[in-house]
Protein backbone atom coordinates (compact mmCIF):
# COMPACT_ATOMS: atom_id res chain seq x y z
CA UNK A 1 0.00 0.00 0.00
CA UNK A 2 1.41 3.38 -1.01
CA UNK A 3 1.66 6.02 1.71
CA UNK A 4 1.41 9.64 0.57
CA UNK A 5 2.65 11.92 3.35
CA UNK A 6 1.19 15.25 2.25
CA UNK A 7 1.99 18.65 3.75
CA UNK A 8 -0.03 21.78 3.04
CA UNK A 9 2.41 24.72 3.03
CA UNK A 10 0.68 27.98 3.91
CA UNK A 11 1.40 31.39 5.42
CA UNK A 12 -1.08 33.32 7.54
CA UNK A 13 -0.75 36.78 9.03
CA UNK A 14 -3.31 36.47 11.86
CA UNK A 15 -5.68 38.84 10.10
CA UNK A 16 -5.84 40.92 6.95
CA UNK A 17 -5.74 44.48 8.31
CA UNK A 18 -1.94 44.81 8.79
CA UNK A 19 -0.45 42.49 6.17
CA UNK A 20 2.62 44.56 5.35
CA UNK A 21 3.52 44.85 9.02
CA UNK A 22 2.79 41.22 9.93
CA UNK A 23 4.10 39.31 6.92
CA UNK A 24 7.85 39.20 7.74
CA UNK A 25 7.33 37.67 11.19
CA UNK A 26 4.59 35.37 9.90
CA UNK A 27 6.86 34.13 7.12
CA UNK A 28 9.62 33.34 9.63
CA UNK A 29 7.22 31.47 11.90
CA UNK A 30 5.28 29.52 9.30
CA UNK A 31 8.19 28.67 7.02
CA UNK A 32 11.10 28.26 9.44
CA UNK A 33 9.44 27.92 12.84
CA UNK A 34 12.21 29.74 14.68
CA UNK A 35 12.46 28.79 18.36
CA UNK A 36 15.00 28.48 21.13
CA UNK A 37 15.06 24.74 20.37
CA UNK A 38 15.76 25.23 16.65
CA UNK A 39 13.70 25.57 13.48
CA UNK A 40 10.54 23.47 13.77
CA UNK A 41 8.52 24.27 10.66
CA UNK A 42 9.70 23.22 7.18
CA UNK A 43 13.35 22.61 8.15
CA UNK A 44 12.43 20.13 10.90
CA UNK A 45 9.85 18.38 8.73
CA UNK A 46 12.31 18.01 5.84
CA UNK A 47 15.14 16.89 8.14
CA UNK A 48 12.96 14.22 9.75
CA UNK A 49 11.85 12.84 6.40
CA UNK A 50 15.46 12.80 5.14
CA UNK A 51 16.78 11.11 8.27
CA UNK A 52 14.28 8.29 7.82
CA UNK A 53 14.64 8.12 4.04
CA UNK A 54 10.97 8.96 3.39
CA UNK A 55 9.19 10.72 0.54
CA UNK A 56 6.86 13.64 1.15
CA UNK A 57 4.47 15.67 -0.99
CA UNK A 58 4.40 19.42 -0.31
CA UNK A 59 1.31 21.25 -1.56
CA UNK A 60 2.52 24.87 -1.68
CA UNK A 61 0.06 27.77 -1.52
CA UNK A 62 1.52 30.44 -3.89
CA UNK A 63 -1.14 33.16 -4.14
CA UNK A 64 0.41 35.16 -1.31
CA UNK A 65 3.23 35.92 -3.76
CA UNK A 66 0.79 38.06 -5.78
CA UNK A 67 0.93 40.45 -2.81
CA UNK A 68 4.49 40.03 -1.50
CA UNK A 69 6.49 39.05 -4.57
CA UNK A 70 8.14 35.90 -5.85
CA UNK A 71 11.23 35.74 -3.62
CA UNK A 72 9.48 34.50 -0.43
CA UNK A 73 7.73 31.82 -2.49
CA UNK A 74 11.04 30.95 -4.18
CA UNK A 75 12.58 30.42 -0.73
CA UNK A 76 9.93 27.81 0.06
CA UNK A 77 10.31 26.09 -3.29
CA UNK A 78 14.10 25.95 -2.88
CA UNK A 79 13.90 24.45 0.60
CA UNK A 80 11.68 21.63 -0.59
CA UNK A 81 13.38 20.96 -3.90
CA UNK A 82 16.85 20.94 -2.36
CA UNK A 83 15.59 18.31 0.07
CA UNK A 84 14.57 16.17 -2.89
CA UNK A 85 10.87 16.27 -2.04
CA UNK A 86 7.87 16.72 -4.34
CA UNK A 87 6.22 20.11 -4.90
CA UNK A 88 2.53 20.29 -5.81
CA UNK A 89 -0.09 23.06 -5.94
CA UNK A 90 -2.33 24.23 -3.10
CA UNK A 91 -4.65 27.27 -3.24
CA UNK A 92 -6.22 29.46 -0.59
CA UNK A 93 -8.20 32.00 -2.63
CA UNK A 94 -8.50 34.27 0.43
CA UNK A 95 -5.41 35.92 -1.09
CA UNK A 96 -7.14 36.77 -4.38
CA UNK A 97 -8.35 40.23 -3.41
CA UNK A 98 -4.98 41.04 -1.80
CA UNK A 99 -3.01 40.79 -5.08
CA UNK A 100 -1.24 43.98 -6.18
CA UNK A 101 -2.15 43.17 -9.78
CA UNK A 102 -5.66 41.69 -10.02
CA UNK A 103 -5.79 37.93 -10.48
CA UNK A 104 -9.45 38.11 -11.50
CA UNK A 105 -11.57 41.02 -12.72
CA UNK A 106 -13.91 42.68 -10.25
CA UNK A 107 -12.83 40.72 -7.15
CA UNK A 108 -12.64 43.31 -4.39
CA UNK A 109 -13.97 41.34 -1.40
CA UNK A 110 -12.89 38.23 0.45
CA UNK A 111 -14.24 34.91 -0.83
CA UNK A 112 -12.84 32.25 1.45
CA UNK A 113 -13.28 29.03 -0.50
CA UNK A 114 -12.45 28.02 -4.07
CA UNK A 115 -15.98 26.68 -4.34
CA UNK A 116 -17.27 30.27 -3.98
CA UNK A 117 -15.89 31.00 -7.49
CA UNK A 118 -17.29 30.04 -10.89
CA UNK A 119 -15.71 27.27 -12.91
CA UNK A 120 -13.96 29.82 -15.12
CA UNK A 121 -12.67 31.69 -12.07
CA UNK A 122 -11.46 28.48 -10.43
CA UNK A 123 -9.67 27.51 -13.64
CA UNK A 124 -8.02 30.95 -13.81
CA UNK A 125 -6.90 30.90 -10.17
CA UNK A 126 -5.36 27.44 -10.56
CA UNK A 127 -3.58 28.75 -13.65
CA UNK A 128 -2.23 31.71 -11.65
CA UNK A 129 -0.99 29.33 -8.96
CA UNK A 130 0.87 27.24 -11.52
CA UNK A 131 2.39 30.39 -13.03
CA UNK A 132 3.60 31.66 -9.65
CA UNK A 133 5.23 28.34 -8.79
CA UNK A 134 6.94 28.32 -12.17
CA UNK A 135 8.20 31.88 -11.63
CA UNK A 136 9.46 30.82 -8.19
CA UNK A 137 11.74 28.25 -9.79
CA UNK A 138 9.84 25.02 -9.56
CA UNK A 139 11.85 22.63 -11.70
CA UNK A 140 9.08 20.15 -12.50
CA UNK A 141 5.55 21.21 -13.43
CA UNK A 142 3.03 20.20 -10.74
CA UNK A 143 0.91 17.16 -11.44
CA UNK A 144 -1.40 17.36 -8.39
CA UNK A 145 -3.71 19.91 -6.79
CA UNK A 146 -5.36 20.36 -3.40
CA UNK A 147 -7.87 23.08 -2.67
CA UNK A 148 -7.47 25.10 0.51
CA UNK A 149 -9.60 23.78 3.39
CA UNK A 150 -10.51 20.88 1.04
CA UNK A 151 -13.23 23.17 -0.35
CA UNK A 152 -14.53 21.95 -3.68
CA UNK A 153 -17.71 21.65 -5.70
CA UNK A 154 -18.85 20.23 -9.04
CA UNK A 155 -16.75 22.84 -10.87
CA UNK A 156 -13.44 22.16 -9.12
CA UNK A 157 -12.35 18.88 -10.69
CA UNK A 158 -13.08 20.10 -14.26
CA UNK A 159 -11.10 23.27 -13.49
CA UNK A 160 -8.18 21.16 -12.24
CA UNK A 161 -8.27 18.95 -15.33
CA UNK A 162 -8.48 21.98 -17.64
CA UNK A 163 -5.09 23.09 -16.31
CA UNK A 164 -3.49 19.82 -17.37
CA UNK A 165 -3.04 18.39 -13.88
CA UNK A 166 -3.19 14.61 -13.50
CA UNK A 167 -4.20 14.30 -9.83
CA UNK A 168 -6.51 15.98 -7.36
CA UNK A 169 -6.56 15.59 -3.57
CA UNK A 170 -9.23 18.13 -2.66
CA UNK A 171 -11.92 15.85 -1.24
CA UNK A 172 -12.33 15.29 2.49
CA UNK A 173 -15.70 13.71 3.22
CA UNK A 174 -15.59 14.73 6.89
CA UNK A 175 -16.02 18.39 5.84
CA UNK A 176 -19.22 19.97 4.53
CA UNK A 177 -17.30 22.40 2.30
CA UNK A 178 -15.79 19.45 0.44
CA UNK A 179 -18.64 18.51 -1.89
CA UNK A 180 -17.59 17.47 -5.41
CA UNK A 181 -21.19 16.75 -6.44
CA UNK A 182 -22.09 13.87 -8.71
CA UNK A 183 -18.58 13.71 -10.20
CA UNK A 184 -17.51 11.19 -7.57
CA UNK A 185 -19.03 7.77 -8.41
CA UNK A 186 -21.07 6.19 -5.62
CA UNK A 187 -18.98 3.05 -5.94
CA UNK A 188 -15.90 4.97 -4.83
CA UNK A 189 -17.08 5.08 -1.23
CA UNK A 190 -15.88 7.74 1.18
CA UNK A 191 -12.21 7.95 0.32
CA UNK A 192 -11.25 5.45 -2.37
CA UNK A 193 -9.37 6.91 -5.37
CA UNK A 194 -11.34 7.26 -8.59
CA UNK A 195 -11.01 8.61 -12.12
CA UNK A 196 -12.94 11.80 -12.92
CA UNK A 197 -12.47 12.07 -16.68
CA UNK A 198 -10.14 14.20 -18.79
CA UNK A 199 -7.18 12.19 -17.50
CA UNK A 200 -7.73 13.28 -13.87
CA UNK A 201 -7.30 10.81 -11.01
CA UNK A 202 -8.73 11.80 -7.63
CA UNK A 203 -7.18 10.76 -4.33
CA UNK A 204 -9.47 11.86 -1.47
CA UNK A 205 -8.16 12.35 2.04
CA UNK A 206 -7.99 8.99 3.84
CA UNK A 207 -10.59 8.49 6.55
CA UNK A 208 -10.80 5.87 9.29
CA UNK A 209 -13.11 4.84 12.11
CA UNK A 210 -11.51 5.64 15.44
CA UNK A 211 -11.80 3.47 18.53
CA UNK A 212 -15.11 5.09 19.47
CA UNK A 213 -16.61 4.65 15.99
CA UNK A 214 -16.18 8.24 14.84
CA UNK A 215 -15.09 9.13 11.32
CA UNK A 216 -11.73 10.88 11.30
CA UNK A 217 -9.27 12.03 8.66
CA UNK A 218 -5.64 10.98 8.92
CA UNK A 219 -3.95 14.17 10.11
CA UNK A 220 -0.79 14.07 12.18
CA UNK A 221 -1.82 17.00 14.35
CA UNK A 222 -5.28 15.50 14.98
CA UNK A 223 -4.56 11.80 15.56
CA UNK A 224 -2.31 9.85 17.87
CA UNK A 225 0.66 8.13 16.26
CA UNK A 226 -0.86 4.82 17.32
CA UNK A 227 -4.10 5.66 15.49
CA UNK A 228 -2.26 6.56 12.30
CA UNK A 229 -0.11 3.43 12.44
CA UNK A 230 -3.07 1.17 13.14
CA UNK A 231 -5.12 2.79 10.37
CA UNK A 232 -2.26 2.19 7.92
CA UNK A 233 -1.84 -1.40 9.05
CA UNK A 234 -5.58 -2.01 8.77
CA UNK A 235 -5.78 -0.39 5.33
CA UNK A 236 -2.91 -2.54 4.09
CA UNK A 237 -4.49 -5.71 5.51
CA UNK A 238 -7.86 -5.02 3.84
CA UNK A 239 -6.42 -4.26 0.41
CA UNK A 240 -6.27 -0.48 0.16
CA UNK A 241 -3.87 0.65 -2.58
CA UNK A 242 -3.03 4.03 -1.04
CA UNK A 243 -3.25 6.02 2.18
CA UNK A 244 -3.24 9.85 2.18
CA UNK A 245 -1.97 11.43 5.40
CA UNK A 246 -2.05 15.16 6.11
CA UNK A 247 0.12 17.64 7.95
CA UNK A 248 1.11 21.30 7.57
CA UNK A 249 4.36 23.22 7.50
CA UNK A 250 3.57 24.67 10.95
CA UNK A 251 2.05 21.60 12.59
CA UNK A 252 5.10 20.81 14.74
CA UNK A 253 4.71 24.20 16.44
CA UNK A 254 2.45 25.16 19.34
CA UNK A 255 -0.40 27.18 17.78
CA UNK A 256 0.21 30.94 17.92
CA UNK A 257 3.54 30.46 19.73
CA UNK A 258 7.16 30.23 18.65
CA UNK A 259 8.03 26.94 20.26
CA UNK A 260 7.78 23.30 19.21
CA UNK A 261 4.84 21.16 20.23
CA UNK A 262 6.56 18.17 21.87
CA UNK A 263 3.57 15.87 21.52
CA UNK A 264 3.17 16.42 17.77
CA UNK A 265 6.95 16.27 17.27
CA UNK A 266 6.97 12.85 18.98
CA UNK A 267 3.98 11.71 16.89
CA UNK A 268 5.68 12.64 13.67
CA UNK A 269 8.93 11.01 14.72
CA UNK A 270 7.11 7.82 15.75
CA UNK A 271 5.18 7.67 12.47
CA UNK A 272 8.33 8.24 10.40
CA UNK A 273 10.21 5.60 12.37
CA UNK A 274 7.39 3.11 11.77
CA UNK A 275 7.29 3.86 8.04
CA UNK A 276 11.07 3.57 7.76
CA UNK A 277 10.89 0.13 9.35
CA UNK A 278 8.07 -0.97 7.05
CA UNK A 279 9.13 0.60 3.76
CA UNK A 280 8.82 -2.68 1.84
CA UNK A 281 5.08 -3.03 2.52
CA UNK A 282 4.19 0.62 3.18
CA UNK A 283 6.42 2.69 0.86
CA UNK A 284 6.15 6.46 0.96
CA UNK A 285 5.66 7.85 -2.55
CA UNK A 286 4.82 11.04 -4.39
CA UNK A 287 2.02 11.58 -6.88
CA UNK A 288 4.61 11.46 -9.64
CA UNK A 289 5.44 7.89 -8.58
CA UNK A 290 1.88 6.56 -8.91
CA UNK A 291 0.81 4.11 -11.58
CA UNK A 292 -2.59 4.60 -13.31
CA UNK A 293 -5.66 3.59 -11.34
CA UNK A 294 -7.49 0.42 -12.38
CA UNK A 295 -10.73 0.86 -14.32
CA UNK A 296 -12.91 -0.58 -11.57
CA UNK A 297 -13.30 0.53 -7.97
CA UNK A 298 -13.90 -2.12 -5.33
CA UNK A 299 -15.78 -1.21 -2.16
CA UNK A 300 -13.51 -1.66 0.83
CA UNK A 301 -14.21 -1.22 4.54
CA UNK A 302 -12.68 1.84 6.09
CA UNK A 303 -9.58 1.32 8.20
CA UNK A 304 -10.28 1.30 11.91
CA UNK A 305 -8.32 1.73 15.13
CA UNK A 306 -8.56 0.55 18.72
CA UNK A 307 -10.17 2.29 21.67
CA UNK A 308 -6.80 2.52 23.39
CA UNK A 309 -5.18 4.37 20.47
CA UNK A 310 -8.04 6.86 20.41
CA UNK A 311 -7.97 7.30 24.19
CA UNK A 312 -4.27 8.16 23.86
CA UNK A 313 -5.22 10.92 21.43
CA UNK A 314 -7.78 12.33 23.87
CA UNK A 315 -5.15 12.48 26.60
CA UNK A 316 -2.54 13.97 24.26
CA UNK A 317 -4.88 16.65 22.99
CA UNK A 318 -5.74 17.63 26.56
CA UNK A 319 -2.04 17.89 27.42
CA UNK A 320 -1.37 19.98 24.32
CA UNK A 321 -3.69 22.68 25.63
CA UNK A 322 -1.27 23.19 28.54
CA UNK A 323 1.64 24.24 26.29
Amino acid sequence: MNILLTFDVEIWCNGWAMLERDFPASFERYVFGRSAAGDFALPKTLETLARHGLRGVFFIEPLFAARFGIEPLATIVRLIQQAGQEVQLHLHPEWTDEAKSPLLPNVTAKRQHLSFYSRQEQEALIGHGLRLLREAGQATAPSAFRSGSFACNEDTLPAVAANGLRFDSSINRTLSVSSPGAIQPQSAGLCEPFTAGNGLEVYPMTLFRDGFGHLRHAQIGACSARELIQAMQCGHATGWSSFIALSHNFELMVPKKSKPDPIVVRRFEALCSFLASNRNTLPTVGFNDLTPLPDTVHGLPLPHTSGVSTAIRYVEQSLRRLH
Side-chain angles (χ1 to χ4, degrees):
M1 181 177 73
N2 290 325
I3 307 295
L4 289 101
L5 294 176
T6 67
F7 302 85
D8 291 357
V9 181
E10 311 163 359
I11 299 171
W12 299 107
C13 294
N14 303 315
W16 302 100
M18 304 294 290
L19 286 179
E20 299 296 334
R21 182 199 69 184
D22 294 341
F23 180 77
S26 295
F27 184 84
E28 287 293 306
R29 183 189 184 278
Y30 279 86
V31 175
F32 294 102
R34 310 288 193 198
S35 78
D39 293 353
F40 273 82
L42 270 179
K44 182 64 173 179
T45 300
L46 292 166
E47 181 275 326
T48 304
L49 292 174
R51 179 160 36 86
H52 291 284
L54 303 178
R55 292 275 286 154
V57 178
F58 290 79
F59 284 97
I60 299 178
E61 202 299 307
L63 294 185
F64 76 89
R67 173 65 178 261
F68 294 106
I70 286 296
E71 186 50 39
L73 178 60
T75 298
I76 297 171
V77 171
R78 280 195 299 269
L79 278 171
I80 296 167
Q81 289 190 153
Q82 288 173 359
Q85 302 293 359
E86 187 174 282
V87 172
Q88 302 292 0
L89 176 62
H90 187 45
L91 281 191
H92 273 281
E94 294 98 315
W95 286 101
T96 301
D97 64 310
E98 305 293 345
K100 289 187 175 179
S101 296
L103 298 176
L104 296 174
N106 304 317
V107 176
T108 58
K110 202 71 65 185
R111 281 190 259 169
Q112 181 180 5
H113 297 311
L114 191 62
S115 51
F116 294 168
Y117 293 79
S118 70
R119 181 178 300 190
Q120 292 74 22
E121 289 174 327
Q122 292 187 40
E123 184 177 332
L125 286 174
I126 293 169
H128 281 301
L130 293 169
R131 171 183 59 81
L132 289 166
L133 284 178
R134 187 166 58 249
E135 292 176 5
Q138 184 174 0
T140 303
S143 62
F145 174 76
R146 174 177 288 160
S147 178
S149 303
F150 294 98
C152 60
N153 61 10
E154 65 276 5
D155 293 323
T156 304
L157 297 182
V160 173
N163 276 280
L165 294 158
R166 294 172 49 217
F167 303 100
D168 181 88
S169 187
S170 298
I171 298 175
N172 182 337
R173 299 312 289 256
T174 67
L175 302 175
S176 60
V177 297
S178 195
S179 301
I183 291 174
Q184 180 173 2
Q186 291 184 348
S187 59
L190 287 173
C191 59
E192 287 181 310
F194 64 94
T195 57
N198 297 317
L200 186 68
E201 297 183 357
V202 181
Y203 282 76
M205 185 68 206
T206 296
L207 313 180
F208 64 90
R209 295 282 178 190
D210 72 11
F212 302 149
H214 301 139
L215 200 62
R216 198 158 189 84
H217 66 255
Q219 181 173 348
I220 292 168
C223 304
S224 69
R226 190 162 173 173
E227 281 182 308
L228 292 168
I229 289 168
Q230 287 182 351
M232 289 176 181
Q233 291 173 322
C234 182
H236 173 62
T238 51
W240 285 81
S241 63
S242 59
F243 189 105
I244 316 295
L246 170 68
S247 188
H248 292 81
N249 50 307
F250 50 83
E251 209 156 296
L252 301 182
M253 304 286 291
V254 175
K256 300 182 180 180
K257 296 182 180 179
S258 294
K259 64 178 183 177
D261 185 324
I263 290 174
V264 181
V265 171
R266 285 196 296 270
R267 281 181 190 170
F268 186 46
E269 183 67 36
L271 178 63
C272 289
S273 180
F274 166 77
L275 290 171
S277 299
N278 292 271
R279 65 178 75 250
N280 290 333
T281 54
L282 299 171
T284 56
V285 302
F287 283 92
N288 294 333
D289 304 317
L290 295 175
T291 57
L293 286 171
D295 292 333
T296 57
V297 176
H298 303 284
L300 293 171
L302 286 177
H304 62 272
T305 65
S306 70
V308 171
S309 66
T310 298
I312 289 172
R313 185 231 307 162
Y314 275 65
V315 172
E316 287 180 343
Q317 301 297 65
S318 295
L319 292 174
R320 289 181 68 196
R321 297 187 186 98
L322 302 177
H323 293 298

